[in-house]
Amino acid sequence: MDYNDGNDDQDKIQGTRNGTNTKNLRRVESDDFGDTKVLIPETETTGFSFRKLWAFTGPGFLMSIAYLDPGNIESDLQSGTVANYKLLWILLSATILGLFVQRLAIRLGVVTGFHLSEMCYRQYRTFPRLFLWLMTEIAIIGSDMQEVIGTAIALYLLSNKMIPLYVGVLITCVDTFTFLLLDRYGLRKLEIIFAFLITVMAISFGYEFVVVKPEGTQIVKGMFFPWCKDCDSTALLQAVGIVGAVIMPHNLYLHSGLVKSRAIDRTNKAKVSEANQYFFIESAIALCVSFVINVFVVSVFAHGLYNRTNEDVLNVCLQNGLNFTENFPNDKELVNVDIYKGGLFLGCQFGILAMYVWAVGILAAGQSSTMTGCYSGQYAMEGFLNLNWARWKRVLFTRLVAIGPTFFVAFYSDINDLTNMNDLLNAVMSLQLPFATIPVIAFTSNRHIMGEFANGITNKVIATLLSAVVILINIIFVTESVLESSLAHNPLAIILLIIYCVIYVGMCLVLICHMAVSMGADNVLISKMSLEKYIGPIEFDAIHRNSEVASLSRCIGKYTTNTDVLDLSEKN
């Protein structure tokens, strides 16, 4: 149920308080989904309410779409092909870790009324803030490119190659604006459309699972036995890629913004706690659904392609009257599969219907990811830069950047080059992860920001270990990738890589210092005074000249301030 808070005259606060002009206070709702928020129903009982859960349902499922984008699907099928069922426990662990960090994003948005990029704008000085924005934009554009690739390949399969890849790439630019028009029909209707697309994916990949009939005992063993016996470096690299594909950095910015679409009374601690609880339950359900869909994909290709050669697959295709020699050469090499070859294999092994159903699932994955990427970009630009672009301008910018290199590869190369880009993009996503997880951990551990809702000792320890693991995984991933590529013999590439690694590790250390002080470890890594001078303030209200305006923004959550209300002169 949607409601409008009232007319603009009633919503604007007129006049001056303590010398601060407040007439330009604007509503948070206009940043998200027009002027409506979902009203949370009151119930007579104090226990769990399905009516309330339904009212809170939506943001978690939109967030979960990032766990089902074409990049994730390709990572799933490759892990099944390379390591059989042995990496399912990595997928399960990554999903649980994803739920943990998404919970932090939820709490930040619910408690403060600000999403993650807005909080970065308020808490970091110019250089770290712009660096974080740049890293977030790279992640969003990388994700956008995966969506473009997935949609183009799906159209290529569904049209029996009648729609060339480069035309499919151009179509994705148009359909993005079509989806954007749906935003005008209301938030709940938009959420229903996304739920429909998730259902399409569940049915499509579930159909493949039923047709292929993987071994149930092997699936369970792969999930709950954390070991990868006889796994080579390729399988280990694939395990690292799963983490980068599942836990996506821009998703934290997205989720912390989406939870603002519910009407929460932030002056009532019980209501804030209730919102945190229901949002967490909804997110857990959504990620459970996404995990099951991912397991479908891993299992199908673990059963069908593990330890099989190109010759094996080609023979199956030829027996069914399908000649895919250009995709599966007649040799003894283990098959190297992607979302396109995966569809061809399903068509050869289980009938042409299986290929088309697979393509429908990939199309739904690409289309559903389109709008979540759009909203992520909107939140990032408005938050980090305090820049309020029209959403269509923002979409046009990111789509053109994403379509440019993708169109070039699609037009001048073959489909194998296009699908190989997904591996690179998953690596890019993994590298950006610390620049979302560390800030959200820092802010949610800061009592000046979160009050009594700040992370406890257990959460702080888990969060710190998570950050360390993510950074270590990224270092291993980059090192292994470089050593196995031709770049290892290029001196210029090595020098550039070293420079990048120094900047990367340096910024991670800067953010870790800020996180440590936010957790209360003052003077351990850096003094609070030095941190506030070079990185940003720890106390939330230090940025606001007028404490009453700050209180209005934090507690009521209904209004936020324009740049002329915030005093940011000292921050820069």
Side-chain angles (χ1 to χ4, degrees):
M1 177 179 180
D2 296 348
Y3 81 104
N4 193 303
D5 286 332
N7 59 51
D8 292 339
D9 293 335
Q10 292 175 332
D11 285 333
K12 291 181 179 178
I13 298 178
Q14 303 291 340
T16 302
R17 296 180 180 177
N18 298 334
T20 301
N21 185 4
T22 61
K23 68 179 181 180
N24 290 318
L25 290 174
R26 59 184 172 85
R27 295 171 46 160
V28 169
E29 291 93 322
S30 62
D31 288 343
D32 304 323
F33 302 95
D35 289 333
T36 60
K37 284 193 175 186
V38 176
L39 182 65
I40 308 303
E42 294 293 338
T43 57
E44 296 180 358
T45 59
T46 57
F48 180 82
S49 168
F50 282 102
R51 284 186 63 205
K52 286 189 176 181
L53 179 61
W54 173 248
F56 282 106
T57 297
F61 280 91
L62 267 67
M63 169 274 297
S64 71
I65 287 171
Y67 290 68
L68 296 168
D69 70 351
N72 268 290
I73 301 302
E74 179 156 300
S75 177
D76 291 338
L77 65 90
Q78 287 175 343
S79 69
T81 303
V82 169
N84 208 1
Y85 304 94
K86 299 173 187 175
L87 296 181
L88 280 175
W89 68 274
I90 296 286
L91 178 62
L92 177 60
S93 301
T95 304
I96 293 173
L97 289 176
L99 178 60
F100 175 79
V101 294
Q102 296 297 159
R103 175 176 174 268
L104 299 182
I106 290 170
R107 290 164 66 87
L108 181 68
V110 169
V111 174
T112 68
F114 293 115
H115 56 70
L116 181 54
S117 57
E118 288 176 328
M119 193 61 67
C120 288
Y121 183 85
R122 287 156 174 78
Q123 297 300 109
Y124 290 127
R125 298 200 180 277
T126 302
F127 179 76
R129 172 167 53 86
L130 292 181
F131 181 86
L132 288 175
W133 171 69
L134 180 61
M135 295 299 102
T136 304
E137 289 293 344
I138 290 173
I140 292 171
I141 291 170
S143 177
D144 229 21
M145 290 179 69
Q146 288 184 321
E147 294 150 18
V148 169
I149 292 170
T151 301
I153 290 174
L155 293 173
Y156 189 68
L157 283 170
L158 287 171
S159 66
N160 196 23
K161 303 182 181 180
M162 292 181 64
I163 299 179
L165 288 172
Y166 66 89
V167 175
V169 169
L170 295 177
I171 289 175
T172 61
C173 187
V174 177
D175 65 24
T176 301
F177 289 97
T178 303
F179 269 87
L180 201 60
L181 293 175
L182 299 175
D183 192 21
R184 297 176 176 271
Y185 293 96
L187 171 60
R188 292 302 261 176
K189 294 181 179 65
L190 188 65
E191 290 174 346
I192 290 173
I193 291 172
F194 282 114
F196 169 75
L197 291 172
I198 293 174
T199 304
V200 170
M201 283 185 273
I203 293 173
S204 299
F205 300 135
Y207 169 83
E208 308 290 358
F209 184 85
V210 171
V211 169
V212 175
K213 298 177 182 177
E215 303 170 59
T217 55
Q218 291 298 315
I219 294 174
V220 174
K221 183 179 178 181
M223 278 188 205
F224 300 107
F225 284 82
W227 191 248
C228 192
K229 185 179 180 181
D230 300 326
C231 286
D232 56 12
S233 59
T234 303
L236 295 177
L237 202 60
Q238 188 62 47
V240 174
I242 289 174
V243 178
V246 171
I247 308 176
M248 305 186 76
H250 62 282
N251 216 24
L252 300 180
Y253 294 94
L254 172 69
H255 203 185
S256 62
L258 290 174
V259 297
K260 292 167 57 179
S261 62
R262 268 52 181 177
I264 301 167
D265 181 7
R266 292 184 176 85
T267 61
N268 188 328
K269 294 179 181 179
K271 295 295 183 183
V272 173
S273 181
E274 177 187 74
N276 284 329
Q277 175 189 353
Y278 279 105
F279 274 132
F280 177 74
I281 294 172
E282 184 243 356
S283 297
I285 295 171
L287 289 188
C288 183
V289 172
S290 73
F291 174 72
V292 170
I293 294 174
N294 283 316
V295 169
F296 284 163
V297 178
V298 174
S299 303
V300 164
F301 289 93
H303 180 82
L305 283 180
Y306 175 65
N307 224 17
R308 296 185 69 175
T309 65
N310 287 316
E311 183 184 48
D312 295 334
V313 178
L314 180 61
N315 289 335
V316 172
C317 293
L318 293 175
Q319 289 171 10
N320 289 280
L322 299 171
N323 188 356
F324 295 129
T325 308
E326 69 276 14
N327 304 109
F328 302 105
N330 192 11
D331 57 37
K332 299 292 185 180
E333 293 288 328
L334 290 177
V335 65
N336 182 19
V337 73
D338 49 49
I339 54 177
Y340 175 65
K341 291 181 181 178
L344 297 182
F345 161 73
L346 292 172
C348 293
Q349 184 79 51
F350 304 104
I352 202 69
L353 177 61
M355 183 185 77
Y356 287 124
V357 171
W358 169 260
V360 169
I362 297 297
L363 183 63
Q367 292 298 291
S368 59
S369 302
T370 293
M371 280 303 291
T372 56
C374 166
Y375 287 122
S376 297
Q378 185 82 1
Y379 291 139
M381 182 167 285
E382 290 182 355
F384 280 114
L385 304 182
N386 199 33
L387 182 64
N388 192 9
W389 272 17
R391 191 166 290 145
W392 70 268
K393 294 180 181 178
R394 166 69 211 182
V395 172
L396 183 63
F397 171 75
T398 53
R399 276 285 145 164
L400 288 178
V401 174
I403 283 175
T406 311
F407 178 83
F408 181 83
V409 174
F411 190 82
Y412 291 103
S413 304
D414 59 21
I415 193 167
N416 293 322
D417 295 320
L418 191 64
T419 54
N420 287 338
M421 287 179 67
N422 265 326
D423 297 330
L424 174 63
L425 294 172
N426 279 337
V428 169
M429 227 75 67
S430 180
L431 286 171
Q432 312 314 319
L433 195 51
F435 305 120
T437 56
I438 296 177
V440 77
I441 292 168
F443 298 146
T444 54
S445 299
N446 191 331
R447 288 198 171 274
H448 295 289
I449 294 174
M450 300 292 289
E452 66 182 64
F453 293 99
N455 294 330
I457 295 297
T458 303
N459 280 342
K460 288 179 181 178
V461 171
I462 294 174
T464 303
L465 292 175
L466 173 62
S467 300
V469 168
V470 167
I471 294 172
L472 180 62
I473 284 175
N474 287 333
I475 293 173
I476 294 173
F477 186 79
V478 172
T479 303
E480 290 289 336
S481 299
V482 171
L483 291 177
E484 292 185 3
S485 69
S486 58
L487 295 177
H489 307 289
N490 188 328
L492 179 60
I494 294 296
I495 293 172
L496 292 175
L497 181 64
I498 291 173
I499 293 173
Y500 173 79
C501 287
V502 169
I503 296 174
Y504 181 86
V505 174
M507 282 306 302
C508 286
L509 289 175
V510 166
L511 295 176
I512 288 171
C513 289
H514 181 270
M515 180 178 71
V517 177
S518 296
M519 289 180 173
D522 192 12
N523 295 320
V524 175
L525 296 177
I526 186 174
S527 69
K528 183 177 178 181
M529 184 179 299
S530 298
L531 183 138
E532 292 189 343
K533 181 178 180 181
Y534 297 107
I535 303 175
I538 294 299
E539 295 186 6
F540 182 72
D541 287 342
I543 295 178
H544 296 77
R545 278 293 187 193
N546 187 285
S547 60
E548 193 168 357
V549 174
S551 177
L552 183 68
S553 299
R554 291 178 61 194
C555 298
I556 299 178
K558 183 178 178 181
Y559 301 94
T560 186
T561 55
N562 280 333
T563 51
D564 56 345
V565 179
L566 291 176
D567 185 346
L568 301 172
S569 58
E570 293 185 358
K571 185 163 79 94
N572 298 322

